[in-house]
Amino acid sequence: MSTTPTLKGHVGRESILVDANTVLLVLLPTKLPASARCQADALISAWRETRKEREKDGAKGISNILCVHESEVVTEDGEEWPAYPPNIPSASSPPLDDEYASAFHTTNLDRRLRRAFSRLHQSHTYPPLKHLVIAGAGADTVVESSVRNAADLGYIVTLVTDAVSGESPEREARTAYNLNGFARLRTTAQVLAELSSSSSSLSSSPSLPPSLQPRRSPIALLVIDVQVYCASPGAGGMHDPPPSLPPSPPSYLATRLQTSLLPALRRLLQRCRALGHEIIYTCIENATVDGRDRSLDYKLSGIDVPKGHHHARVLPEVAPWADEMIIAKTTA
């Protein structure tokens, strides 16, 4: 891929630049032709320099380069490890058996990357921005499927178009066209320019434009099932207990609700709103009138709040404000 298509992708993604907190992922590097391999080597050298800068700041052992080889072994800037299946980290597990599939398929690459990003962003208050720069061989096979997979997993992806190779220039161009919107499309020179313009200090913050900066505190208050069904005397959740359970005093739940839970929750809501914390409510409510979408657990337990029923409403004493979230749920 010697040229960058004149495609812009999504505006929000385009404004997130490569910086010292970005991880470089190179796929099948030994299969790259000489021209693309030269570009990939330039990227690797630049990322190693950012690692050296981090080590000067006292951050030892934080790797920001990962390579997936056709030998089915992934190296993390020189450290080799088997590509285990994602949920079975066992040395006896088979490695990646299809080099044309996504590098995330049947491997623990996602786990490794999340660990790397967590360490790179350990000094930041907000969850890490997972920005991944991808280069490598297999443009319309392993590269395209890996970029799509990474985007689905929540990574911000920059594809280095002249450090990617395919079976033909036409297939390389088609890959870039297909991935517009899934990734930022940049040349090696453009990526290196972005990297050099950013600070390599551990204290540097992710390159989020003002429009994408978090608008609220990273803390959220989750209010679970404080609704008519669960917390109103005589409603479904406060009816008489089954014979298998010991009986409660008739007014116990209602008294606790009015004298303890609701007053405390009102104070908590007031304080969280004053501090700008997000408030999220969950309420039991079917997505259908007949409740066919309920989980097996709810069906066995007899929990049934039809769609739109007043039992799904939050109690008025702690009602949500107009801009607060209410999430309906049909399972525990």
Side-chain angles (χ1 to χ4, degrees):
M1 288 186 179
S2 58
T3 61
T4 302
T6 56
L7 301 171
K8 294 300 183 182
H10 295 172
V11 175
R13 185 182 291 110
E14 289 296 316
S15 60
I16 300 176
L17 304 181
V18 172
D19 63 14
N21 298 306
T22 306
V23 170
L24 174 64
L25 177 64
V26 184
L27 306 171
L28 309 179
T30 59
K31 289 194 171 185
L32 285 168
S35 58
R37 181 58 189 263
C38 180
Q39 305 292 355
D41 287 343
L43 293 168
I44 292 172
S45 297
W47 257 257
R48 284 182 176 152
E49 288 300 316
T50 65
R51 181 174 181 175
K52 291 178 182 178
E53 292 298 321
R54 287 181 172 276
E55 290 176 347
K56 290 179 182 178
D57 289 340
K60 300 292 185 180
I62 299 181
S63 181
N64 56 357
I65 305 171
L66 288 89
C67 298
V68 180
H69 291 281
E70 62 273 15
S71 60
E72 301 169 355
V73 173
V74 182
T75 64
E76 189 171 350
D77 198 15
E79 174 194 356
E80 294 190 359
W81 46 273
Y84 303 137
N87 297 316
I88 313 175
S90 167
S92 61
S93 301
L96 176 66
D97 58 3
D98 184 358
E99 67 184 49
Y100 299 104
S102 165
F104 293 90
H105 178 60
T106 71
T107 75
N108 65 359
L109 177 59
D110 180 50
R111 180 180 300 162
R112 288 278 177 165
L113 286 170
R114 291 179 186 275
R115 186 181 72 172
F117 280 112
S118 177
R119 297 178 71 186
L120 285 168
H121 291 262
Q122 59 189 339
S123 63
H124 298 139
T125 302
Y126 293 99
L129 175 69
K130 300 177 297 180
H131 191 172
L132 196 59
V133 170
I134 295 182
D140 56 353
T141 53
V142 63
V143 171
E144 181 167 348
S145 58
S146 296
V147 169
R148 290 174 179 268
N149 209 168
D152 288 342
L153 290 168
Y155 294 93
I156 302 297
V157 181
T158 293
L159 179 66
V160 190
T161 56
D162 58 352
V164 171
S165 68
E167 294 296 326
S168 69
E170 292 75 21
R171 293 174 71 170
E172 293 174 355
R174 173 57 61 178
T175 296
Y177 182 87
N178 290 343
L179 293 178
N180 179 53
F182 290 93
R184 303 167 71 243
L185 305 179
R186 295 293 186 272
T187 64
T188 299
Q190 290 171 325
V191 168
L192 295 180
E194 290 182 10
L195 184 63
S196 64
S197 65
S198 70
S199 170
S200 60
S201 170
L202 276 174
S203 61
S204 63
S205 59
S207 300
L208 276 176
S211 62
L212 298 180
Q213 291 287 349
R215 298 180 181 180
R216 286 179 175 260
S217 159
I219 299 172
L221 173 63
L222 180 62
V223 182
I224 302 175
D225 300 349
V226 185
Q227 64 188 95
V228 173
Y229 178 80
C230 300
S232 286
M238 291 186 69
H239 54 56
D240 293 335
S244 59
L245 296 178
S248 299
S251 62
Y252 175 77
L253 292 177
T255 300
R256 285 280 294 170
L257 189 71
Q258 295 299 325
T259 62
S260 180
L261 188 149
L262 289 179
L265 183 54
R266 280 196 298 267
R267 293 193 299 271
L268 187 58
L269 285 166
Q270 183 179 18
R271 182 61 175 165
C272 287
R273 285 166 177 156
L275 294 174
H277 299 333
E278 196 73 69
I279 311 294
I280 304 172
Y281 293 79
T282 68
C283 289
I284 300 169
E285 182 180 13
N286 305 339
T288 59
V289 174
D290 62 6
R292 63 184 181 274
D293 58 302
R294 290 176 296 157
S295 66
L296 179 61
D297 174 43
Y298 272 23
K299 290 176 180 177
L300 292 174
S301 303
I303 298 174
D304 187 6
V305 180
K307 180 179 181 180
H309 197 280
H310 78 276
H311 278 183
R313 297 174 185 169
V314 178
L315 293 182
E317 296 91 334
V318 292
W321 285 7
D323 194 37
E324 292 173 346
M325 291 179 275
I326 305 176
I327 301 173
K329 65 187 186 72
T330 56
T331 188

